Amino acid sequence: QSALTQPRSVSGSPGQSVTISCTGTSSDVGRYDYVSWYQHHPGKVPKVMIYDVSKRPSGVPDRFSGSKSGNTASLTVSGLQAEDEADYYCCSFAGGYNFVFGTGTTVTVL
Amino acid sequence: QVQVVESGGGVVQPGRSLRLSCAASGFPFSNHPMHWVRQAPGKGLERVAVIPHDGSNEQYADSVKGRFTISRDNSKNTAFLQMNSLRDEDTAVYFCAWGPDYYFAYWGQGTLVTVSS
Protein backbone atom coordinates (compact mmCIF):
# COMPACT_ATOMS: atom_id res chain seq x y z
CA GLN A 1 0.00 0.00 0.00
CA SER A 2 1.62 3.26 -1.09
CA ALA A 3 1.41 6.39 1.02
CA LEU A 4 -1.19 8.96 0.06
CA THR A 5 0.29 12.01 -1.67
CA GLN A 6 0.30 15.37 0.09
CA PRO A 7 2.16 18.59 -0.73
CA ARG A 8 5.33 18.88 1.29
CA SER A 9 4.42 22.33 2.62
CA VAL A 10 1.83 25.08 2.50
CA SER A 11 1.90 28.49 4.09
CA GLY A 12 -0.36 31.42 4.80
CA SER A 13 -0.60 34.62 6.78
CA PRO A 14 -2.68 34.84 9.94
CA GLY A 15 -6.35 35.05 9.07
CA GLN A 16 -5.90 33.50 5.65
CA SER A 17 -7.05 30.06 4.54
CA VAL A 18 -4.90 27.16 3.43
CA THR A 19 -5.96 23.90 1.83
CA ILE A 20 -4.02 20.65 1.94
CA SER A 21 -4.72 17.98 -0.65
CA CYS A 22 -4.43 14.24 -0.12
CA THR A 23 -4.43 12.05 -3.21
CA GLY A 24 -4.95 8.33 -3.05
CA THR A 25 -6.46 5.71 -5.30
CA SER A 26 -9.76 4.04 -6.00
CA SER A 27 -8.79 1.41 -3.40
CA ASP A 28 -8.60 3.81 -0.49
CA VAL A 29 -9.64 7.48 -0.64
CA GLY A 30 -11.87 6.95 -3.65
CA ARG A 31 -13.57 3.89 -2.26
CA TYR A 32 -14.32 4.74 1.36
CA ASP A 33 -15.66 7.83 3.12
CA TYR A 34 -13.22 7.18 5.95
CA VAL A 35 -10.57 9.82 5.53
CA SER A 36 -9.16 11.36 8.69
CA TRP A 37 -6.73 14.21 9.30
CA TYR A 38 -4.17 14.53 12.11
CA GLN A 39 -2.34 17.56 13.43
CA HIS A 40 1.11 16.75 14.75
CA HIS A 41 3.29 19.19 16.57
CA PRO A 42 6.86 17.82 16.75
CA GLY A 43 7.42 15.90 19.94
CA LYS A 44 3.73 15.76 20.72
CA VAL A 45 0.98 13.21 20.16
CA PRO A 46 -0.92 13.32 16.86
CA LYS A 47 -4.41 14.75 17.26
CA VAL A 48 -7.37 13.90 15.06
CA MET A 49 -8.86 17.03 13.52
CA ILE A 50 -11.26 15.51 10.99
CA TYR A 51 -12.70 12.02 10.60
CA ASP A 52 -15.08 10.38 8.15
CA VAL A 53 -14.00 12.98 5.53
CA SER A 54 -15.70 15.97 7.11
CA LYS A 55 -16.67 15.34 10.73
CA ARG A 56 -15.02 17.30 13.52
CA PRO A 57 -14.38 15.74 16.94
CA SER A 58 -15.59 17.66 19.94
CA GLY A 59 -13.21 20.48 20.77
CA VAL A 60 -11.78 20.97 17.29
CA PRO A 61 -12.42 24.52 16.04
CA ASP A 62 -14.81 24.89 13.12
CA ARG A 63 -11.99 26.63 11.28
CA PHE A 64 -10.96 23.11 10.26
CA SER A 65 -13.03 21.47 7.55
CA GLY A 66 -12.66 18.45 5.30
CA SER A 67 -13.99 17.33 1.95
CA LYS A 68 -13.44 14.71 -0.72
CA SER A 69 -13.82 14.45 -4.46
CA GLY A 70 -12.95 11.24 -6.23
CA ASN A 71 -9.55 10.00 -5.11
CA THR A 72 -8.56 13.30 -3.47
CA ALA A 73 -9.44 14.53 -0.01
CA SER A 74 -8.77 18.03 1.28
CA LEU A 75 -8.32 19.76 4.60
CA THR A 76 -8.99 23.49 4.79
CA VAL A 77 -7.86 25.64 7.67
CA SER A 78 -9.64 28.96 7.67
CA GLY A 79 -8.70 32.00 9.72
CA LEU A 80 -5.17 30.68 10.13
CA GLN A 81 -3.67 31.13 13.60
CA ALA A 82 -0.13 30.80 14.90
CA GLU A 83 -0.99 27.63 16.81
CA ASP A 84 -2.06 25.95 13.56
CA GLU A 85 1.57 25.72 12.51
CA ALA A 86 2.26 21.98 12.56
CA ASP A 87 2.53 18.89 10.41
CA TYR A 88 -0.72 17.50 9.04
CA TYR A 89 -1.32 13.94 7.89
CA CYS A 90 -4.27 12.47 6.09
CA CYS A 91 -5.18 8.84 6.57
CA SER A 92 -7.57 6.60 4.69
CA PHE A 93 -9.19 3.31 5.52
CA ALA A 94 -8.31 0.80 2.81
CA GLY A 95 -10.43 -2.21 3.63
CA GLY A 96 -10.11 -4.95 6.22
CA TYR A 97 -7.93 -3.53 8.96
CA ASN A 98 -5.81 -1.54 6.55
CA PHE A 99 -5.07 2.14 6.92
CA VAL A 100 -2.68 4.23 4.86
CA PHE A 101 -1.25 7.58 5.89
CA GLY A 102 -0.33 10.50 3.71
CA THR A 103 3.20 11.77 3.23
CA GLY A 104 2.56 14.73 5.50
CA THR A 105 2.33 18.50 4.99
CA THR A 106 4.03 21.20 7.02
CA VAL A 107 1.82 24.22 7.54
CA THR A 108 3.72 27.44 8.13
CA VAL A 109 2.06 30.58 9.43
CA LEU A 110 3.93 33.52 7.96
CA GLN B 1 -11.11 8.46 30.62
CA VAL B 2 -9.22 6.71 27.87
CA GLN B 3 -5.54 6.09 28.46
CA VAL B 4 -2.97 4.43 26.26
CA VAL B 5 0.56 4.07 27.61
CA GLU B 6 3.49 2.61 25.70
CA SER B 7 6.66 1.27 27.25
CA GLY B 8 9.68 -0.80 26.34
CA GLY B 9 11.60 1.51 24.03
CA GLY B 10 15.32 2.02 24.25
CA VAL B 11 18.64 1.72 22.45
CA VAL B 12 19.37 -1.60 20.79
CA GLN B 13 22.03 -2.86 18.40
CA PRO B 14 21.15 -3.83 14.83
CA GLY B 15 19.97 -7.41 14.59
CA ARG B 16 18.78 -7.52 18.18
CA SER B 17 15.23 -7.64 19.55
CA LEU B 18 12.95 -5.41 21.59
CA ARG B 19 9.42 -5.81 22.92
CA LEU B 20 7.06 -2.88 23.25
CA SER B 21 3.97 -2.87 25.45
CA CYS B 22 0.79 -0.81 25.23
CA ALA B 23 -1.38 -0.66 28.35
CA ALA B 24 -4.90 0.61 27.73
CA SER B 25 -7.75 1.65 29.99
CA GLY B 26 -11.03 3.51 29.88
CA PHE B 27 -12.60 1.63 26.99
CA PRO B 28 -13.66 -1.96 26.18
CA PHE B 29 -10.21 -3.09 25.09
CA SER B 30 -11.25 -6.61 24.08
CA ASN B 31 -13.79 -5.22 21.59
CA HIS B 32 -11.39 -3.22 19.45
CA PRO B 33 -8.42 -3.70 17.14
CA MET B 34 -5.17 -2.10 18.31
CA HIS B 35 -2.60 -0.46 16.06
CA TRP B 36 1.07 0.43 16.23
CA VAL B 37 2.09 3.51 14.27
CA ARG B 38 5.65 4.81 14.02
CA GLN B 39 7.42 7.97 12.98
CA ALA B 40 11.07 7.78 11.99
CA PRO B 41 13.20 10.92 12.34
CA GLY B 42 12.26 13.40 9.63
CA LYS B 43 9.69 11.02 8.19
CA GLY B 44 5.92 10.69 8.22
CA LEU B 45 3.56 8.43 10.10
CA GLU B 46 3.48 4.75 9.17
CA ARG B 47 0.99 2.19 10.46
CA VAL B 48 3.21 -0.84 11.07
CA ALA B 49 0.84 -3.40 12.57
CA VAL B 50 -2.72 -4.07 13.65
CA ILE B 51 -4.28 -6.85 15.69
CA PRO B 52 -8.04 -7.48 15.60
CA HIS B 53 -10.00 -7.61 18.83
CA ASP B 54 -9.77 -11.40 19.06
CA GLY B 55 -6.08 -11.61 18.21
CA SER B 56 -6.62 -13.28 14.86
CA ASN B 57 -5.44 -12.23 11.40
CA GLU B 58 -2.94 -9.58 12.44
CA GLN B 59 -1.53 -7.45 9.61
CA TYR B 60 1.80 -5.75 9.00
CA ALA B 61 3.40 -3.13 6.82
CA ASP B 62 5.71 -4.62 4.21
CA SER B 63 8.64 -2.87 5.89
CA VAL B 64 8.32 -5.02 9.04
CA LYS B 65 6.64 -8.18 7.78
CA GLY B 66 8.45 -11.30 8.96
CA ARG B 67 10.39 -9.40 11.64
CA PHE B 68 7.70 -7.85 13.87
CA THR B 69 4.89 -9.67 15.67
CA ILE B 70 1.91 -7.97 17.24
CA SER B 71 -0.05 -9.68 20.01
CA ARG B 72 -2.47 -8.85 22.79
CA ASP B 73 -3.61 -10.04 26.19
CA ASN B 74 -7.23 -9.04 26.62
CA SER B 75 -7.21 -10.15 30.26
CA LYS B 76 -4.60 -7.46 30.94
CA ASN B 77 -5.80 -4.83 28.45
CA THR B 78 -2.37 -4.83 26.89
CA ALA B 79 -1.01 -5.06 23.37
CA PHE B 80 2.56 -5.91 22.43
CA LEU B 81 4.93 -5.45 19.54
CA GLN B 82 7.80 -7.93 19.37
CA MET B 83 10.50 -6.49 17.13
CA ASN B 84 13.19 -8.87 15.91
CA SER B 85 16.14 -8.43 13.55
CA LEU B 86 16.03 -4.70 14.11
CA ARG B 87 17.54 -2.41 11.48
CA ASP B 88 18.77 1.17 11.53
CA GLU B 89 15.64 2.20 9.65
CA ASP B 90 13.44 0.92 12.46
CA THR B 91 14.62 3.84 14.59
CA ALA B 92 11.43 5.74 15.35
CA VAL B 93 8.91 6.83 17.92
CA TYR B 94 6.36 4.03 18.21
CA PHE B 95 2.79 4.97 19.07
CA CYS B 96 -0.01 2.69 20.13
CA ALA B 97 -3.34 3.92 18.77
CA TRP B 98 -6.96 2.94 18.50
CA GLY B 99 -10.33 4.34 17.63
CA PRO B 100 -13.96 3.27 17.96
CA ASP B 101 -14.45 3.55 14.22
CA TYR B 102 -12.35 4.19 11.11
CA TYR B 103 -9.84 6.61 12.57
CA PHE B 104 -7.31 6.87 15.38
CA ALA B 105 -9.08 8.76 18.13
CA TYR B 106 -6.61 7.97 20.90
CA TRP B 107 -2.84 7.79 20.89
CA GLY B 108 -0.28 7.02 23.52
CA GLN B 109 2.65 9.34 24.21
CA GLY B 110 4.96 7.15 22.17
CA THR B 111 8.11 5.27 23.02
CA LEU B 112 11.44 5.88 21.29
CA VAL B 113 13.31 2.99 19.73
CA THR B 114 16.86 3.70 18.62
CA VAL B 115 18.71 1.07 16.63
CA SER B 116 22.39 1.83 16.69
CA SER B 117 25.69 0.07 17.09
PDB file of all heavy atoms in Angstrom, chain A residues 27-45:
ATOM      1  N   SER A  27      -8.766   2.472  -4.423  1.00  0.00           N
ATOM      2  CA  SER A  27      -8.790   1.413  -3.404  1.00  0.00           C
ATOM      3  C   SER A  27      -8.828   1.966  -1.992  1.00  0.00           C
ATOM      4  O   SER A  27      -9.054   1.216  -1.039  1.00  0.00           O
ATOM      5  CB  SER A  27      -7.550   0.511  -3.543  1.00  0.00           C
ATOM      6  OG  SER A  27      -7.552  -0.148  -4.788  1.00  0.00           O
ATOM      7  N   ASP A  28      -8.588   3.242  -1.839  1.00  0.00           N
ATOM      8  CA  ASP A  28      -8.600   3.813  -0.494  1.00  0.00           C
ATOM      9  C   ASP A  28      -9.460   5.077  -0.451  1.00  0.00           C
ATOM     10  O   ASP A  28     -10.659   4.995  -0.202  1.00  0.00           O
ATOM     11  CB  ASP A  28      -7.175   4.073   0.026  1.00  0.00           C
ATOM     12  CG  ASP A  28      -6.203   4.582  -1.045  1.00  0.00           C
ATOM     13  OD1 ASP A  28      -6.479   5.656  -1.604  1.00  0.00           O
ATOM     14  OD2 ASP A  28      -5.187   3.926  -1.293  1.00  0.00           O
ATOM     15  N   VAL A  29      -8.873   6.229  -0.738  1.00  0.00           N
ATOM     16  CA  VAL A  29      -9.637   7.482  -0.643  1.00  0.00           C
ATOM     17  C   VAL A  29     -10.889   7.445  -1.516  1.00  0.00           C
ATOM     18  O   VAL A  29     -11.977   7.873  -1.098  1.00  0.00           O
ATOM     19  CB  VAL A  29      -8.762   8.687  -1.038  1.00  0.00           C
ATOM     20  CG1 VAL A  29      -9.582   9.974  -1.041  1.00  0.00           C
ATOM     21  CG2 VAL A  29      -7.575   8.833  -0.079  1.00  0.00           C
ATOM     22  N   GLY A  30     -10.744   6.954  -2.722  1.00  0.00           N
ATOM     23  CA  GLY A  30     -11.866   6.950  -3.653  1.00  0.00           C
ATOM     24  C   GLY A  30     -12.959   5.952  -3.325  1.00  0.00           C
ATOM     25  O   GLY A  30     -14.092   6.091  -3.796  1.00  0.00           O
ATOM     26  N   ARG A  31     -12.615   4.954  -2.495  1.00  0.00           N
ATOM     27  CA  ARG A  31     -13.575   3.888  -2.256  1.00  0.00           C
ATOM     28  C   ARG A  31     -14.355   4.066  -0.956  1.00  0.00           C
ATOM     29  O   ARG A  31     -15.506   3.626  -0.846  1.00  0.00           O
ATOM     30  CB  ARG A  31     -12.842   2.553  -2.228  1.00  0.00           C
ATOM     31  CG  ARG A  31     -13.745   1.359  -2.071  1.00  0.00           C
ATOM     32  CD  ARG A  31     -13.000   0.069  -2.352  1.00  0.00           C
ATOM     33  NE  ARG A  31     -13.895  -1.085  -2.313  1.00  0.00           N
ATOM     34  CZ  ARG A  31     -13.528  -2.330  -2.590  1.00  0.00           C
ATOM     35  NH1 ARG A  31     -12.285  -2.585  -2.921  1.00  0.00           N
ATOM     36  NH2 ARG A  31     -14.404  -3.308  -2.516  1.00  0.00           N
ATOM     37  N   TYR A  32     -13.705   4.659   0.036  1.00  0.00           N
ATOM     38  CA  TYR A  32     -14.317   4.743   1.358  1.00  0.00           C
ATOM     39  C   TYR A  32     -14.428   6.199   1.832  1.00  0.00           C
ATOM     40  O   TYR A  32     -13.523   6.999   1.614  1.00  0.00           O
ATOM     41  CB  TYR A  32     -13.485   3.972   2.394  1.00  0.00           C
ATOM     42  CG  TYR A  32     -13.271   2.522   2.059  1.00  0.00           C
ATOM     43  CD1 TYR A  32     -12.082   2.083   1.467  1.00  0.00           C
ATOM     44  CD2 TYR A  32     -14.244   1.570   2.341  1.00  0.00           C
ATOM     45  CE1 TYR A  32     -11.879   0.754   1.164  1.00  0.00           C
ATOM     46  CE2 TYR A  32     -14.046   0.233   2.044  1.00  0.00           C
ATOM     47  CZ  TYR A  32     -12.863  -0.170   1.445  1.00  0.00           C
ATOM     48  OH  TYR A  32     -12.673  -1.489   1.158  1.00  0.00           O
ATOM     49  N   ASP A  33     -15.503   6.502   2.513  1.00  0.00           N
ATOM     50  CA  ASP A  33     -15.661   7.833   3.119  1.00  0.00           C
ATOM     51  C   ASP A  33     -15.096   7.816   4.534  1.00  0.00           C
ATOM     52  O   ASP A  33     -15.746   8.249   5.487  1.00  0.00           O
ATOM     53  CB  ASP A  33     -17.126   8.246   3.131  1.00  0.00           C
ATOM     54  CG  ASP A  33     -17.647   8.591   1.741  1.00  0.00           C
ATOM     55  OD1 ASP A  33     -16.826   8.990   0.878  1.00  0.00           O
ATOM     56  OD2 ASP A  33     -18.863   8.458   1.512  1.00  0.00           O
ATOM     57  N   TYR A  34     -13.886   7.303   4.651  1.00  0.00           N
ATOM     58  CA  TYR A  34     -13.222   7.175   5.949  1.00  0.00           C
ATOM     59  C   TYR A  34     -11.833   7.795   5.878  1.00  0.00           C
ATOM     60  O   TYR A  34     -10.821   7.146   6.140  1.00  0.00           O
ATOM     61  CB  TYR A  34     -13.132   5.713   6.366  1.00  0.00           C
ATOM     62  CG  TYR A  34     -14.467   5.053   6.601  1.00  0.00           C
ATOM     63  CD1 TYR A  34     -14.774   3.829   6.000  1.00  0.00           C
ATOM     64  CD2 TYR A  34     -15.422   5.637   7.421  1.00  0.00           C
ATOM     65  CE1 TYR A  34     -16.003   3.219   6.217  1.00  0.00           C
ATOM     66  CE2 TYR A  34     -16.644   5.043   7.643  1.00  0.00           C
ATOM     67  CZ  TYR A  34     -16.935   3.826   7.040  1.00  0.00           C
ATOM     68  OH  TYR A  34     -18.139   3.233   7.253  1.00  0.00           O
ATOM     69  N   VAL A  35     -11.812   9.075   5.530  1.00  0.00           N
ATOM     70  CA  VAL A  35     -10.570   9.824   5.534  1.00  0.00           C
ATOM     71  C   VAL A  35     -10.506  10.640   6.815  1.00  0.00           C
ATOM     72  O   VAL A  35     -11.482  11.292   7.198  1.00  0.00           O
ATOM     73  CB  VAL A  35     -10.461  10.762   4.314  1.00  0.00           C
ATOM     74  CG1 VAL A  35      -9.184  11.597   4.397  1.00  0.00           C
ATOM     75  CG2 VAL A  35     -10.491   9.958   3.014  1.00  0.00           C
ATOM     76  N   SER A  36      -9.376  10.592   7.469  1.00  0.00           N
ATOM     77  CA  SER A  36      -9.164  11.365   8.691  1.00  0.00           C
ATOM     78  C   SER A  36      -7.910  12.230   8.533  1.00  0.00           C
ATOM     79  O   SER A  36      -7.061  11.954   7.685  1.00  0.00           O
ATOM     80  CB  SER A  36      -9.039  10.452   9.919  1.00  0.00           C
ATOM     81  OG  SER A  36      -8.111   9.403   9.686  1.00  0.00           O
ATOM     82  N   TRP A  37      -7.859  13.276   9.331  1.00  0.00           N
ATOM     83  CA  TRP A  37      -6.726  14.208   9.296  1.00  0.00           C
ATOM     84  C   TRP A  37      -6.177  14.398  10.708  1.00  0.00           C
ATOM     85  O   TRP A  37      -6.945  14.523  11.668  1.00  0.00           O
ATOM     86  CB  TRP A  37      -7.176  15.559   8.742  1.00  0.00           C
ATOM     87  CG  TRP A  37      -7.486  15.553   7.280  1.00  0.00           C
ATOM     88  CD1 TRP A  37      -8.692  15.273   6.686  1.00  0.00           C
ATOM     89  CD2 TRP A  37      -6.574  15.848   6.219  1.00  0.00           C
ATOM     90  NE1 TRP A  37      -8.586  15.369   5.323  1.00  0.00           N
ATOM     91  CE2 TRP A  37      -7.294  15.718   5.009  1.00  0.00           C
ATOM     92  CE3 TRP A  37      -5.225  16.207   6.161  1.00  0.00           C
ATOM     93  CZ2 TRP A  37      -6.706  15.947   3.755  1.00  0.00           C
ATOM     94  CZ3 TRP A  37      -4.648  16.428   4.931  1.00  0.00           C
ATOM     95  CH2 TRP A  37      -5.382  16.301   3.739  1.00  0.00           C
ATOM     96  N   TYR A  38      -4.842  14.423  10.815  1.00  0.00           N
ATOM     97  CA  TYR A  38      -4.172  14.532  12.107  1.00  0.00           C
ATOM     98  C   TYR A  38      -3.221  15.722  12.105  1.00  0.00           C
ATOM     99  O   TYR A  38      -2.471  15.930  11.149  1.00  0.00           O
ATOM    100  CB  TYR A  38      -3.394  13.238  12.416  1.00  0.00           C
ATOM    101  CG  TYR A  38      -4.316  12.047  12.421  1.00  0.00           C
ATOM    102  CD1 TYR A  38      -4.612  11.385  11.235  1.00  0.00           C
ATOM    103  CD2 TYR A  38      -4.951  11.638  13.588  1.00  0.00           C
ATOM    104  CE1 TYR A  38      -5.514  10.327  11.222  1.00  0.00           C
ATOM    105  CE2 TYR A  38      -5.845  10.590  13.585  1.00  0.00           C
ATOM    106  CZ  TYR A  38      -6.129   9.943  12.393  1.00  0.00           C
ATOM    107  OH  TYR A  38      -7.033   8.913  12.376  1.00  0.00           O
ATOM    108  N   GLN A  39      -3.274  16.459  13.197  1.00  0.00           N
ATOM    109  CA  GLN A  39      -2.338  17.558  13.433  1.00  0.00           C
ATOM    110  C   GLN A  39      -1.241  17.024  14.345  1.00  0.00           C
ATOM    111  O   GLN A  39      -1.535  16.405  15.375  1.00  0.00           O
ATOM    112  CB  GLN A  39      -3.064  18.713  14.116  1.00  0.00           C
ATOM    113  CG  GLN A  39      -2.201  19.907  14.439  1.00  0.00           C
ATOM    114  CD  GLN A  39      -2.968  20.904  15.309  1.00  0.00           C
ATOM    115  OE1 GLN A  39      -3.319  20.629  16.447  1.00  0.00           O
ATOM    116  NE2 GLN A  39      -3.242  22.080  14.760  1.00  0.00           N
ATOM    117  N   HIS A  40       0.000  17.268  13.958  1.00  0.00           N
ATOM    118  CA  HIS A  40       1.108  16.750  14.749  1.00  0.00           C
ATOM    119  C   HIS A  40       2.151  17.822  14.960  1.00  0.00           C
ATOM    120  O   HIS A  40       2.873  18.207  14.032  1.00  0.00           O
ATOM    121  CB  HIS A  40       1.734  15.532  14.047  1.00  0.00           C
ATOM    122  CG  HIS A  40       2.688  14.788  14.922  1.00  0.00           C
ATOM    123  ND1 HIS A  40       3.662  13.946  14.410  1.00  0.00           N
ATOM    124  CD2 HIS A  40       2.817  14.733  16.273  1.00  0.00           C
ATOM    125  CE1 HIS A  40       4.344  13.426  15.407  1.00  0.00           C
ATOM    126  NE2 HIS A  40       3.838  13.881  16.547  1.00  0.00           N
ATOM    127  N   HIS A  41       2.207  18.294  16.197  1.00  0.00           N
ATOM    128  CA  HIS A  41       3.294  19.191  16.574  1.00  0.00           C
ATOM    129  C   HIS A  41       4.482  18.319  16.954  1.00  0.00           C
ATOM    130  O   HIS A  41       4.325  17.338  17.694  1.00  0.00           O
ATOM    131  CB  HIS A  41       2.887  20.077  17.746  1.00  0.00           C
ATOM    132  CG  HIS A  41       1.864  21.113  17.403  1.00  0.00           C
ATOM    133  ND1 HIS A  41       0.523  20.981  17.712  1.00  0.00           N
ATOM    134  CD2 HIS A  41       1.981  22.301  16.755  1.00  0.00           C
ATOM    135  CE1 HIS A  41      -0.132  22.049  17.291  1.00  0.00           C
ATOM    136  NE2 HIS A  41       0.718  22.861  16.684  1.00  0.00           N
ATOM    137  N   PRO A  42       5.678  18.647  16.458  1.00  0.00           N
ATOM    138  CA  PRO A  42       6.858  17.822  16.745  1.00  0.00           C
ATOM    139  C   PRO A  42       7.022  17.554  18.237  1.00  0.00           C
ATOM    140  O   PRO A  42       6.925  18.472  19.057  1.00  0.00           O
ATOM    141  CB  PRO A  42       8.003  18.675  16.190  1.00  0.00           C
ATOM    142  CG  PRO A  42       7.373  19.453  15.092  1.00  0.00           C
ATOM    143  CD  PRO A  42       5.992  19.785  15.580  1.00  0.00           C
ATOM    144  N   GLY A  43       7.227  16.284  18.561  1.00  0.00           N
ATOM    145  CA  GLY A  43       7.415  15.897  19.944  1.00  0.00           C
ATOM    146  C   GLY A  43       6.128  15.681  20.713  1.00  0.00           C
ATOM    147  O   GLY A  43       6.163  15.271  21.885  1.00  0.00           O
ATOM    148  N   LYS A  44       5.023  15.937  20.063  1.00  0.00           N
ATOM    149  CA  LYS A  44       3.727  15.762  20.721  1.00  0.00           C
ATOM    150  C   LYS A  44       3.006  14.545  20.145  1.00  0.00           C
ATOM    151  O   LYS A  44       3.505  13.843  19.276  1.00  0.00           O
ATOM    152  CB  LYS A  44       2.864  17.027  20.523  1.00  0.00           C
ATOM    153  CG  LYS A  44       3.505  18.290  21.020  1.00  0.00           C
ATOM    154  CD  LYS A  44       3.594  18.314  22.528  1.00  0.00           C
ATOM    155  CE  LYS A  44       4.082  19.665  23.018  1.00  0.00           C
ATOM    156  NZ  LYS A  44       4.190  19.715  24.507  1.00  0.00           N
ATOM    157  N   VAL A  45       1.798  14.325  20.635  1.00  0.00           N
ATOM    158  CA  VAL A  45       0.976  13.213  20.162  1.00  0.00           C
ATOM    159  C   VAL A  45       0.093  13.687  19.012  1.00  0.00           C
ATOM    160  O   VAL A  45      -0.497  14.769  19.092  1.00  0.00           O
ATOM    161  CB  VAL A  45       0.094  12.683  21.313  1.00  0.00           C
ATOM    162  CG1 VAL A  45      -0.812  11.564  20.820  1.00  0.00           C
ATOM    163  CG2 VAL A  45       0.957  12.214  22.471  1.00  0.00           C
TER     164      VAL A  45
END
